[in-house]
Amino acid sequence: MTSNDNRGGRLRIQILPLDPSLHDRKSFHCGKETVDRYLRTTAAQATRYYRAATFVLAAVDNPSEVLGYYTLAPHEYRDGELDLATARALRVHGLQRIPVLLLGQLGIARAYQGRGLGKLLLWSALERAFSTAANSGAVAVITDPADDRAAAFYARYGFATLHEAPFHRMMLPTKTIAAALSRG
Ligand SMILES: CC(C)(COP(=O)(O)OP(=O)(O)OC[C@H]1O[C@@H](n2cnc3c(N)ncnc32)[C@H](O)[C@@H]1OP(=O)(O)O)[C@@H](O)C(=O)NCCC(=O)NCCS
């Protein structure tokens, strides 16, 4: 994969599972303290105990510097927790347990924002989510945008608001992801 670097050249990048012995988690700053703090304090332990998986975007030539990251974790709704219209649209109405995937964190380092890396990272997360869904089941990807700007970013890629209270949650059905991936 390549992206433009800030000198007008090409940046060769890769997205790999978090390696706590390689990736410099302390120097990552994306402008959202909650996203920075998760990488600094929680990601390594969550990875070690398989609570959530973290994937890091880095330059091939400088693999220890974290340019961005996201996390995925399994999540489950119980019957009745989803509103009827959503449950019907997802064809899960009446199911006792409804598997989904939580895109828990996603951030791009400040110095690298605005050049397409967020889109690339989200696309990688959706590809990975689709593969997980196809192998073990998950009817949608859900995410809790940190603020209105983050919500606008996700809305661009088809995420719809599931509810606003007690916190803002958005959702993208796996069927929609599958259709987007098949279009390329
Ligand atoms: C949100 C974030 C990941 C976007 O990353 P980025 O690398 O700047 O985004 P990109 O350059 O890939 O932009 C992709 C598209 O989204 C748009 N976009 C970027 N940020 C946006 C925002 N806040 N609101 C609406 N659209 C946005 C861009 O204009 C671009 O559109 P285009 O493809 O039509 O040109 C990044 O700003 C970030 O890390 N923010 C802090 C952490 C955060 O809020 N995370 C989100 C959820 S917790």
Side-chain angles (χ1 to χ4, degrees):
M1 270 181 282
T2 58
S3 170
N4 294 324
D5 69 15
N6 45 11
R7 296 181 301 276
R10 301 295 279 173
L11 186 67
R12 287 198 308 136
I13 49 178
Q14 57 193 1
I15 299 173
L16 295 174
L18 172 68
D19 177 351
S21 66
L22 168 69
H23 295 126
D24 175 9
R25 287 162 288 145
K26 290 203 182 91
S27 306
F28 180 75
H29 298 289
C30 72
K32 272 278 156 225
E33 173 53 24
T34 51
V35 180
D36 296 349
R37 195 180 333 118
Y38 181 92
L39 186 64
R40 221 168 41 234
T41 64
T42 311
Q45 205 188 34
T47 298
R48 196 173 319 124
Y49 293 104
Y50 301 100
R51 292 199 303 267
T54 295
F55 298 92
V56 170
L57 183 151
V60 172
D61 296 340
N62 184 12
S64 64
E65 183 187 5
V66 178
L67 305 186
Y69 85 95
Y70 63 84
T71 67
L72 287 171
H75 187 80
E76 185 179 85
Y77 284 102
R78 298 295 171 103
D79 187 26
E81 286 178 342
L82 284 175
D83 67 86
L84 200 56
T86 302
R88 284 204 169 123
L90 293 172
R91 303 285 201 278
V92 294
H93 179 47
L95 280 190
Q96 291 295 310
R97 291 161 178 266
I98 301 157
V100 297
L101 282 169
L102 173 68
L103 176 58
Q105 313 284 339
L106 185 143
I108 293 291
R110 277 198 110 128
Y112 289 85
Q113 289 177 10
R115 59 176 78 170
L117 291 179
K119 181 177 179 178
L120 197 137
L121 205 55
L122 180 60
W123 191 251
S124 162
L126 296 181
E127 277 183 325
R128 207 175 292 277
F130 174 72
S131 167
T132 305
N135 281 293
S136 58
V139 298
V141 172
I142 57 169
T143 193
D144 301 333
D147 55 27
D148 289 350
R149 282 173 51 80
F153 172 76
Y154 287 122
R156 254 187 129 77
Y157 301 105
F159 280 79
T161 293
L162 198 51
H163 55 71
E164 303 259 15
F167 51 85
H168 194 168
R169 173 155 287 178
M170 301 177 84
M171 187 192 77
L172 187 64
T174 304
K175 278 276 193 193
T176 308
I177 299 171
L181 291 174
S182 72
R183 286 196 300 272

